Every structure is written in structure tokens, then in C-alpha cells.
């Protein structure tokens, strides 16, 4: 599933091709995505793409008068075509620019979305989201205040979009390992100094992933359409039964809140 670093990589990959360009046509071959694509999206025609921003895992295309809000869902991807290519089965939407460049959206499982809005305030999916993990607002003090009286496992809590956006399952396991915090710990048992380690770890893990993604931006121009997703060097995720790189103990796996969780009992207290 595309996580925050992949979405940010997508944003940086497509931005130079789209910013300042005029939309000639939008072709919707399959409107049945997670939410149906609004017919009004055809009004994008003739508008200029002023900018592309990101909030959580949503890409926000700011047009002259409207917004297109894209989520990649489970299996969505975007790529740039420099000229026309026959659409294949899962190529659901094309944004055709006046200069001939095409932004093509492919999504085999159709859990993604293309929302049309007059204003971002109208997009309910964007309301009530927690801070961006790489912003200054996301701090140890912020988490410490929020954590009071919360008794759920820290792993589930940091994956909650109301607390902070964009900490997916892999990044949650990896960050807790880096911060030496057991994923089962109850939120209200965590000390400020531990939150300081955790915030630092989350920022580091995400920043590193975005930087790695940046090296694969050229893939946005490959015709096979696999954009620049990247394999992280993972310390614990998917390594159950293998040895911890720090202490040699066996990495454990466990379901927490129905999500696979990986950790080292020796290193994480
Ligand atoms: Zn260990």
C-alpha cells in the first residue's frame, strides 16, 4: 500500500510536469472508485494546475477554481506519459494536458479516489486529521498531552490519523524499535523522554524513506508504470524469527489491533 513517503515521492515526481500547465481534457474510464468520481470533474477542462500539495496521504491538486483530491488507496499509482499510449484494463483516469503530457491513474483494486471540490473545507476526508509527522506541531509535548488517560497500545495509537497522519504499519514498528519502546505499552505509561525518542524516530524513518524515494523519481517516466516505491532497510518489520541487529535476540511478531507488529523484546521495554 502506498504510504506517506510514497505519496510524497509521487507528488515530487509529477509536480514538474503538471505545475502551471492547462488541462485539456479529463478522461474517466471507470468512475467507481472508493467514492464515485463526480461528473463535475469534467469542469477541470481549461483550468490551470497552480500547485500540488499533500495532506496526510492525499494529493491536493489546486486548479484555477477548484481542487482535485487524489488518494492512491491500496494499489493506486500515478505516472507521466509524454505522449498517447493505449489505456489498459486498470488505467481508470487520464488527465490530459494541453501540451500533450498525460497524468495516468492506475488502480487494480479501486480503493483509491479522485474527489472534486470547490474548497478543501468541503472535503470531509480532510477534516479532523492530526498534524503532519514532519511538522513542528508534531512534538513530544503534543503527544504527551494527548496521551493522558489513554490506555490503548502505543502501536495502535500512533497509527491513528487523529493523533498524527501518515504513520503506517511498517513505519510504526520501525519507529518503536528505534525508540526502544515495546509496541504493547499503554499510551498513558509512556514518559515524556520516551515520546521525545519516538517523535525523533518517526521523523527519521519517514525522512529517510522520502529521501530514498527521491532517487527513483525517474521511474515516473517509465512506461511500465511502476512508480518509485522502494524497499526500505527494515530493522524489525517482516523479520520475525530472525536475529535483532542490535542484540541478537529473536524478533517477535504479534497482532496488535489486528495489525502485524514486529519487535525485539530485549531492546524494546
Ligand atoms: Zn534487540
Amino acid at each position: 500500500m502506498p504510504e506517506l513517503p510514497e505519496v510524497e515521492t509521487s507528488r515530487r515526481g509529477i509536480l514538474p510536469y503538471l505545475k502551471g500547465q492547462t488541462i485539456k481534457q479529463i478522461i474517466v474510464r471507470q468512475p467507481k472508485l472508493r467514492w464515485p468520481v463526480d461528473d463535475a470533474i469534467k469542469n477541470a477542462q481549461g483550468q490551470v494546475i497552480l500547485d500540488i500539495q499533500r495532506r496526510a496521504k492525499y494529493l491536493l491538486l489546486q486548479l484555477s477554481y477548484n481542487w482535485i483530491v487524489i488518494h492512491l488507496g491500496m494499489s493506486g499509482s500515478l505516472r507521466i506519459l509524454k505522449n498517447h499510449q493505449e489505456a489498459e484494463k486498470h488505467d481508470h483516469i487520464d488527465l490530459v494536458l494541453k501540451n500533450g503530457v498525460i497524468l495516468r491513474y492506475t488502480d487494480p483494486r479501486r480503493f483509491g479516489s479522485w474527489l472534486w471540490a470547490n474548497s478543501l473545507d468541503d472535503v470531509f476526508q480532510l477534516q479532523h486529521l492530526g498534524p503532519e509527522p514532519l511538522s513542528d506541531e508534531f512534538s513530544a509535548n503534543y503527544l504527551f498531552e494527548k496521551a493522558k488517560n489513554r490506555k490503548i497500545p502505543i502501536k495502535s495509537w500512533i497509527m491513528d490519523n487523529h493523533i498524527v497522519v501518515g504513520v503506517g504499519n511498517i513505519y510504526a514498528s520501525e519507529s518503536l524499535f528505534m525508540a526502544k519502546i515495546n509496541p504493547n505499552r499503554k499510551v498513558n505509561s509512556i514518559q515524556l523522554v520516551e515520546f521525545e525518542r519516538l517523535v525523533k524516530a518517526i521523523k527519521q524513518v519517514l525522512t529517510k524513506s522520502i529521501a530514498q524515494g527521491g532517487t527513483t523519481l525517474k521511474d515516473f517516466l517509465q512506461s511500465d508504470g511502476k512508480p518509485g516505491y522502494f524497499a526500505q532497510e527494515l530493522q524489525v518489520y517482516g523479520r520475525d524469527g530472525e536475529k535483532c541487529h542490535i542484540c541478537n535476540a529473536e524478533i517477535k511478531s504479534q497482532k496488535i489491533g489486528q495489525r502485524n507488529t514486529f519487535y525485539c523484546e530485549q531492546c524494546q521495554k
Side-chain angles (χ1 to χ4, degrees):
M1 179 183 344
E3 294 287 352
L4 185 143
E6 287 87 347
V7 176
E8 179 60 21
T9 298
S10 296
R11 187 188 74 81
R12 294 180 188 183
I14 63 177
L15 182 66
Y17 299 96
L18 300 189
K19 189 170 177 173
Q21 300 296 328
T22 302
I23 298 168
K24 182 180 165 195
Q25 191 188 5
I26 182 160
I27 302 169
V28 179
R29 298 184 193 86
Q30 172 56 277
K32 290 180 191 158
L33 302 182
R34 177 161 183 198
W35 289 283
V37 180
D38 190 335
D39 262 348
I41 205 168
K42 64 179 182 299
N43 293 318
Q45 191 176 315
Q47 295 197 41
V48 175
I49 302 168
L50 302 176
D51 198 9
I52 306 176
Q53 298 157 29
R54 180 188 56 74
R55 178 74 174 106
K57 296 204 290 179
Y58 292 91
L59 290 170
L60 315 175
L61 273 62
Q62 183 181 12
L63 311 185
S64 308
Y65 310 107
N66 297 87
W67 294 81
I68 295 175
V69 176
I70 300 173
H71 195 287
L72 302 176
M74 304 289 283
S75 60
S77 63
L78 293 165
R79 72 193 138 124
I80 298 289
L81 307 177
K82 284 202 164 168
N83 42 48
H84 176 77
Q85 287 176 25
E86 214 56 54
E88 294 183 18
K89 188 177 173 194
H90 301 297
D91 296 339
H92 302 314
I93 300 179
D94 280 359
L95 199 63
V96 185
L97 305 180
K98 224 170 173 177
N99 65 6
V101 166
I102 297 166
L103 176 71
R104 178 161 286 178
Y105 179 69
T106 306
D107 188 355
R109 296 181 65 180
R110 288 196 272 121
F111 278 110
S113 51
W114 278 56
L115 307 170
W116 177 252
N118 296 323
S119 148
L120 293 182
D121 293 337
D122 300 340
V123 182
F124 78 85
Q125 292 89 342
L126 296 176
Q127 312 308 318
H128 311 297
L129 293 173
E132 287 288 321
L134 299 178
S135 70
D136 291 341
E137 194 186 346
F138 179 60
S139 68
N141 282 324
Y142 163 79
L143 284 185
F144 191 65
E145 286 302 313
K146 281 265 175 194
K148 285 177 180 162
N149 306 318
R150 298 302 308 275
K151 292 175 181 160
I152 65 168
I154 182 67
K155 161 84 174 350
S156 307
W157 193 64
I158 56 168
M159 290 180 64
D160 179 349
N161 269 335
H162 298 92
I163 303 302
V164 57
V165 300
V167 182
N169 198 34
I170 296 175
Y171 300 113
S173 279
E174 292 293 310
S175 301
L176 286 164
F177 175 77
M178 197 186 278
K180 302 186 189 301
I181 297 170
N182 186 301
N184 290 294
R185 286 270 302 280
K186 293 205 169 44
V187 170
N188 65 354
S189 78
I190 294 180
Q191 307 298 310
L192 183 59
V193 60
E194 295 177 302
F195 277 130
E196 280 168 6
R197 293 204 305 265
L198 182 59
V199 164
K200 194 175 163 199
I202 289 171
K203 288 177 193 279
Q204 264 182 23
V205 167
L206 292 173
T207 302
K208 192 175 169 198
S209 294
I210 291 168
Q212 284 178 339
T215 64
T216 60
L217 286 182
K218 59 177 173 19
D219 293 346
F220 280 89
L221 282 169
Q222 285 180 358
S223 55
D224 65 3
K226 291 281 176 287
Y229 302 158
F230 34 85
Q232 281 228 80
E233 301 154 25
L234 300 172
Q235 299 295 315
V236 285
Y237 190 87
R239 295 192 64 240
D240 46 321
E242 295 176 37
K243 285 182 174 172
C244 172
H245 292 317
I246 308 274
C247 74
N248 267 339
E250 192 178 296
I251 301 293
K252 305 279 181 206
S253 79
Q254 180 194 343
K255 291 224 172 185
I256 299 178
Q258 279 111 51
R259 303 301 301 274
N260 286 325
T261 304
F262 302 87
Y263 64 106
C264 173
E265 275 178 332
Q266 292 296 321
C267 292
Q268 295 173 257
K269 298 295 182 191

